[in-house]
Amino acid sequence: MLDINPILLLVTFVVFLSLIAVLNSWLYNPLFSFMNKRDEDIKNDLDKVGSNDDEINELHSKAESIIMNAKLEASALREKVVADAKELANSKLEAKRAELAAEYAKFEQSLAEAESQLTKDLTSQVPLFKKAVKAKFSQI
């Protein structure tokens, strides 16, 4: 019936081993090297992405610090300009007050002179008024 032929078994075993050796060198080793290279490329790409994230975060923090510094400089400049404007307005206001005070003093002086002149004129006119009043009383 069925006999196991040891030579045929040995030849089959040798063919099997030679087929494994050939497939290993022609198929499996290139396939494994390609897969390892691909894994290594993926790992390198992920490292680059990670370093890009760090670089992006660093640039973002630099941008935020520049914006913060610019805002601080702008607010300091705005405060300085406002203070300068207030100082200029106060100096103009004080100058106008001094000018108005001088004009008021001059007006008071001219008013006092006009009052004294009017008093002089009235006192010089008193005899004429007395005559006119006497003449009116005499007519009544």
Side-chain angles (χ1 to χ4, degrees):
M1 300 230 207
L2 274 192
D3 286 337
I4 293 179
N5 190 350
I7 292 178
L8 191 58
L9 186 65
L10 185 64
V11 168
T12 304
F13 185 69
V14 168
V15 168
F16 178 72
L17 287 179
S18 63
L19 182 64
I20 286 178
V22 168
L23 283 177
N24 190 29
S25 65
W26 286 358
L27 179 68
Y28 297 127
N29 282 339
L31 185 63
F32 284 139
S33 67
F34 173 76
M35 289 171 57
N36 288 336
K37 185 178 181 289
R38 187 190 69 183
D39 288 342
E40 198 173 300
D41 289 342
I42 289 172
K43 182 182 175 189
N44 288 337
D45 288 344
L46 287 175
D47 289 342
K48 286 180 184 178
V49 168
S51 69
N52 284 346
D53 284 344
D54 294 340
E55 192 174 321
I56 288 170
N57 289 336
E58 181 181 331
L59 291 175
H60 186 62
S61 66
K62 281 183 183 178
E64 284 180 359
S65 68
I66 289 171
I67 289 171
M68 186 63 70
N69 288 338
K71 284 181 181 180
L72 290 174
E73 287 178 18
S75 72
L77 184 62
R78 182 175 40 246
E79 288 176 8
K80 183 179 181 282
V81 167
V82 167
D84 289 345
K86 283 182 180 180
E87 185 178 325
L88 179 64
N90 286 337
S91 67
K92 285 184 178 182
L93 192 62
E94 289 300 319
K96 194 64 172 176
R97 282 183 182 154
E99 181 185 333
L100 288 175
E103 286 180 14
Y104 186 72
K106 189 186 282 185
F107 171 72
E108 282 182 335
Q109 184 181 4
S110 68
L111 190 61
E113 288 175 2
E115 182 183 8
S116 65
Q117 182 66 33
L118 185 60
T119 306
K120 281 183 188 177
D121 287 345
L122 285 177
T123 52
S124 68
Q125 299 285 329
V126 168
L128 289 175
F129 286 133
K130 283 185 180 180
K131 281 185 186 178
V133 170
K134 280 186 184 182
K136 286 285 182 183
F137 280 136
S138 65
Q139 286 178 358
I140 301 182

